[in-house]
Amino acid sequence: MNLEKSPAEPPARQSPEGCLTVAVRVPVRIVVLVLVVPVRMVWDALVVGGRLLKDAVLRPLGRALLWVGRAVFVWPWVALWRYVVVPVARGIAWLGNVLLVVPAVWVYRHVLTPVGHGIAWVAGAVWAGVVWVARGVWGGVVRVCRGIGAGFGWVYARLLTPVGHGIAWLVRGIGLVLAALGVGVFTAVYWLVRHLLVVPAVWVYRYVLTPVGHGIAWVAGGVVWLVRMLLTGVWLALYWTGRVLIVLPALAVWRWVLAPIGRALVVVGREIRDALGHAWRIAGHVSQAVGRALGTLFRWIFVEPVRWVYRTVLTPVGHVVRDVVWRPAVEAARSVGRAVRQALASARESVRQARADFRRMLFGEPEQRQSVGPREPDGREARTLGSSTTALTKD
């Protein structure tokens, strides 16, 4: 609950206030303050209650539901995966490896590979034979084709070439005759079309259609100018009629009626907004004061008596119970525990000794290892810094 005032904005240049603003401000603020204070107090109470409900009820309940959800939905599946699915999968993988992969590898290595090598050798020998036969057949075919090609070459050189030359000379002569006939026909048709169609059409366009078109264009331009002038006059008449009958009255209503009313409404709305802001802040201070008073009253009525009872009654009683009852009981329990541990240790030692005696009775004494002499010289011949113990350096 933020009851502090927001930092003041830098002062802006304000226009001078009129009498309407001053007359509206005070009653509006009084009315708004009376209406806003109860709403602010109810709002602060709801905020405090909501926070208390969240901290004392909803958050522990959520944590408990989360733990229950994990215990019911997550942990069983994790245990099932970890202790059932994974071991079963590993066992199946081991069985698959032993029953499928290892036999398949052995069969591939010791059966299929030799068989494949044999099949490859046989296929290579067969392919070599096929290639040798194909080479022989291909050589025969090539010889036959060469003979046939030589025969066709002689026929082409001695028979087909002279016949082709004669046919080409004949076709060239026929083409020249047809070309000459085509040029003559095209020249005659061109002269007829030019003098029968083109020259009369040009004369008609130049001396008949052009003057008629100029006249029609001049008449159409006059008609367009007349229509444009008529439309301009009608537009000016409608424009000034609409301006005088609609625009000027609407402008007067806007300037002398609606604009003043709008300014007044803006002033009233701004004052209501400012009044709501001031009233909300004042209601916050009032609510804070009421809350502090209720907190102080609650502390002096409930908290301080409970604290006094805890400090002056429960604490000495707890100390007496701790010193008279709890500590002796704990010491007695510790003594009993030590006695039980010593008895159990004695029993374990007795059982170990009885087991050793029974083993010795059945199997005899174990062989004793021969002790090895110390590596360091003892007694009088101890190693010192001033003398040597090796055979080469002894005096």
Side-chain angles (χ1 to χ4, degrees):
M1 183 170 57
N2 186 12
L3 300 177
E4 299 294 334
K5 290 185 179 181
S6 59
E9 297 180 355
R13 182 177 297 177
Q14 299 179 354
S15 59
E17 300 176 347
C19 60
L20 179 61
T21 304
V22 178
V24 169
R25 178 176 300 167
V26 176
V28 167
R29 290 192 176 184
I30 293 174
V31 173
V32 169
L33 179 62
V34 172
L35 295 176
V36 168
V37 169
V39 176
R40 181 59 185 266
M41 294 183 69
V42 172
W43 173 260
D44 293 338
L46 290 176
V47 170
V48 174
R51 290 183 179 177
L52 180 62
L53 180 64
K54 182 185 73 173
D55 296 335
V57 177
L58 296 180
R59 187 175 295 171
L61 181 61
R63 292 176 179 174
L65 291 177
L66 180 61
W67 186 86
V68 170
R70 288 180 179 176
V72 173
F73 296 103
V74 178
W75 294 340
W77 293 105
V78 172
L80 180 64
W81 171 264
R82 184 175 296 172
Y83 300 108
V84 177
V85 175
V86 173
V88 170
R90 290 178 179 174
I92 293 173
W94 182 80
L95 289 176
N97 185 26
V98 172
L99 298 178
L100 296 177
V101 177
V102 174
V105 171
W106 185 87
V107 169
Y108 173 78
R109 184 176 296 170
H110 298 286
V111 178
L112 296 180
T113 301
V115 172
H117 289 172
I119 293 172
W121 182 83
V122 172
V126 172
W127 177 253
V130 170
V131 169
W132 182 78
V133 173
R135 284 181 179 177
V137 172
W138 177 253
V141 172
V142 167
R143 294 188 186 92
V144 172
C145 290
R146 285 178 181 176
I148 295 171
F152 277 113
W154 184 86
V155 171
Y156 175 78
R158 304 302 180 191
L159 297 177
L160 297 179
T161 300
V163 174
H165 289 172
I167 293 172
W169 181 82
L170 181 61
V171 170
R172 189 181 299 114
I174 294 171
L176 291 175
V177 173
L178 292 177
L181 291 176
V183 170
V185 172
F186 176 76
T187 303
V189 171
Y190 174 75
W191 187 85
L192 291 175
V193 170
R194 178 178 176 82
H195 288 85
L196 294 178
L197 294 177
V198 177
V199 173
V202 171
W203 185 87
V204 170
Y205 174 77
R206 182 177 297 172
Y207 297 104
V208 178
L209 296 179
T210 300
V212 173
H214 289 173
I216 292 172
W218 183 81
V219 172
V223 172
V224 169
W225 179 82
L226 181 60
V227 172
R228 186 173 60 188
M229 295 302 295
L230 290 175
L231 292 178
T232 303
V234 172
W235 167 251
L236 291 175
L238 293 176
Y239 171 74
W240 283 104
T241 301
R243 181 178 177 84
V244 172
L245 296 180
I246 298 174
V247 176
L248 294 178
L251 183 61
V253 170
W254 170 262
R255 181 176 296 174
W256 305 108
V257 178
L258 297 180
I261 293 175
R263 293 192 187 97
L265 292 177
V266 168
V267 171
V268 173
R270 185 174 64 247
E271 292 301 326
I272 292 174
R273 183 196 62 190
D274 297 339
L276 285 173
H278 288 292
W280 187 261
R281 287 192 291 272
I282 294 172
H285 290 291
V286 173
S287 176
Q288 184 179 11
V290 172
R292 288 178 179 176
L294 292 177
T296 303
L297 185 62
F298 178 79
R299 187 175 68 251
W300 286 106
I301 292 176
F302 295 100
V303 177
E304 292 297 334
V306 171
R307 183 183 297 174
W308 181 83
V309 169
Y310 175 78
R311 185 179 298 171
T312 58
V313 178
L314 297 180
T315 301
V317 171
H319 290 173
V320 171
V321 171
R322 182 189 62 189
D323 297 335
V324 175
V325 178
W326 181 252
R327 286 182 178 174
V330 171
E331 292 295 333
R334 289 178 179 174
S335 301
V336 172
R338 283 194 295 268
V340 171
R341 285 195 297 273
Q342 291 176 0
L344 291 175
S346 300
R348 284 196 297 271
E349 186 65 27
S350 301
V351 171
R352 189 181 298 111
Q353 189 67 31
R355 189 169 60 248
D357 294 339
F358 182 74
R359 190 186 301 111
R360 190 181 303 110
M361 181 180 65
L362 290 178
F363 302 105
E365 291 288 340
E367 295 181 359
Q368 298 292 335
R369 294 184 180 180
Q370 295 180 0
S371 61
V372 180
R375 297 183 180 182
E376 294 291 336
D378 53 351
R380 181 174 51 81
E381 298 180 357
R383 180 180 295 175
T384 60
L385 295 176
S387 63
S388 176
T389 58
T390 60
L392 298 177
T393 58
K394 279 186 176 182
D395 295 337

